[in-house]
Amino acid sequence: MKFSRIMAIVSGLSVLAFSVMAQGVASSDASSASNWSLGAGLSYRSFRDARFTGINTGDYVGLFQASAADMGEFSSEITKYMGNNPVPVNVVTYTGGSAKTSGDYGFQESLGIILGTSLGLWQDGRLGLDFVANFQYFQLDTAAYGSAGSEKTTNVYAAGGGVSYNDVYQQTNYVGAISKTKFDLELYVIDLGVSLDYSFENGLGLYVASGPTLSMADMESNSRAGLFNTAASNSPISRARGRDNEIEFEWGWYVSAGASYWFSENVGLACELRYDEAFGTVGTKYVVQDLDAWGGNLMLLFRF
């Protein structure tokens, strides 16, 4: 979903909320407040690590006689042993797996933008109740390497285009595996709530706020994996590749506490600590992202 559509959603929700609140303000008593403010600034959110499950490397069965560096795929190599005289060979059985790793985020990915608005609903002395709405945007990307799978080698005899298996084997590492999974996320967060604030004579104010959130996660992920022969200078054996993109919506809740300071009647600054908790996780086939996080916002305020 494009940024312009998100902004249209935010604007529509804000207009609807303002209409409802304005009707309430018009019908309230003289103690009700009518001030309206806008805010814009930076948002910080300490995201949890992305949890990766890479693409499966796939299974592989190889065969060699004297040196693992000469190992080849079993179905092609066994055709070299069509005679009746048994020949000692080694069968390497690799069982693939999906690497489970995690990818963290740096300071740059934790920074976003925030746009906010506040409408006074009620005022009694220095105590006030406001309607608040915010929009946040974050752009994240991370990646991680990993490996998975197990291998065993059986010493057997080959003859007549087949082998005589036995129960005796050894754990080996003739086949290596590595995978890389990458994740890109554009996160849009809309929240509506109420704020209880107390204003001092010197322009300083303290407040707490809470309300529901709706997060939209636009995600892209891809995973690549490969097998290679460790005895033959890591020559490639096989490759796997996958991609999965998703757009998901997730409801949640937030609470925040902060302070504001008005330099004049119309310009101020607000700083707050915030905690977001989503009711679930978002993700793709290869990644799971938890949206629960502590964070903070710094906004320049304009009052009308």
Side-chain angles (χ1 to χ4, degrees):
M1 187 177 291
K2 294 184 177 180
F3 183 79
S4 58
R5 188 178 299 179
I6 292 295
M7 290 305 297
I9 294 175
V10 176
S11 300
L13 289 173
S14 299
V15 170
L16 177 61
F18 289 158
S19 299
V20 174
M21 297 305 177
Q23 293 178 6
V25 171
S27 60
S28 61
D29 56 33
S31 65
S32 296
S34 60
N35 58 304
W36 173 45
S37 66
L38 292 175
L42 292 176
S43 182
Y44 176 84
R45 195 162 175 176
S46 181
F47 289 96
R48 298 183 181 181
D49 291 354
R51 302 193 301 274
F52 292 140
T53 301
I55 190 170
N56 195 301
T57 55
D59 300 333
Y60 177 77
V61 180
L63 185 149
F64 68 92
Q65 185 177 6
S67 172
D70 300 322
M71 179 173 57
E73 201 274 328
F74 179 88
S75 62
S76 62
E77 291 294 310
I78 195 61
T79 60
K80 300 177 181 178
Y81 305 92
M82 302 303 293
N84 295 324
N85 295 325
V87 178
V89 295
N90 302 280
V91 177
V92 180
T93 303
Y94 175 84
T95 303
S98 299
K100 295 185 181 297
T101 57
S102 61
D104 58 2
Y105 301 105
F107 180 76
Q108 181 177 349
E109 284 84 9
S110 297
L111 286 179
I113 61 171
I114 181 170
L115 304 175
T117 186
S118 173
L119 179 66
L121 301 177
W122 172 83
Q123 189 78 32
D124 185 6
R126 299 193 177 278
L127 191 65
L129 185 68
D130 302 322
F131 162 79
V132 291
N134 297 289
F135 167 76
Q136 294 173 286
Y137 171 75
F138 298 91
Q139 189 172 24
L140 301 89
D141 65 86
T142 186
Y145 288 90
S147 62
S150 61
E151 174 191 318
K152 64 181 182 181
T153 297
T154 307
N155 306 116
V156 296
Y157 286 90
V163 296
S164 54
Y165 280 103
N166 56 58
D167 296 331
V168 180
Y169 64 87
Q170 56 183 326
Q171 300 293 335
T172 55
N173 59 349
Y174 299 129
V175 178
I178 191 169
S179 68
K180 179 182 180 181
T181 306
K182 190 175 185 300
F183 180 54
D184 293 292
L185 167 64
E186 289 189 84
L187 183 65
Y188 307 84
V189 185
I190 302 170
D191 64 69
L192 303 174
V194 292
S195 172
L196 182 66
D197 59 84
Y198 184 86
S199 300
F200 297 92
E201 291 184 357
N202 58 0
L204 179 66
L206 301 177
Y207 64 89
V208 292
S210 183
T213 64
L214 176 62
S215 299
M216 192 203 80
D218 187 352
M219 299 168 287
E220 296 182 1
S221 65
N222 63 76
S223 184
R224 296 178 294 170
L227 301 180
F228 52 90
N229 186 334
T230 61
S233 301
N234 295 329
S235 60
I237 295 175
S238 65
R239 292 185 176 90
R241 184 187 299 266
R243 177 182 295 272
D244 189 32
N245 302 333
E246 297 284 349
I247 295 178
E248 291 187 4
F249 293 87
E250 188 64 46
W251 290 98
W253 199 267
Y254 86 95
V255 292
S256 66
S260 62
Y261 181 78
W262 291 93
F263 303 103
S264 66
E265 287 292 327
N266 303 108
V267 180
L269 188 69
C271 180
E272 68 178 25
L273 178 68
R274 170 169 167 151
Y275 178 75
D276 283 84
E277 181 168 344
F279 297 153
T281 59
V282 297
T284 69
K285 181 179 180 180
Y286 303 111
V287 63
V288 175
Q289 180 64 56
D290 195 329
L291 298 180
D292 298 351
W294 286 95
N297 299 315
L298 180 65
M299 286 192 292
L300 188 62
L301 305 176
F302 304 93
R303 185 158 55 191
F304 300 91

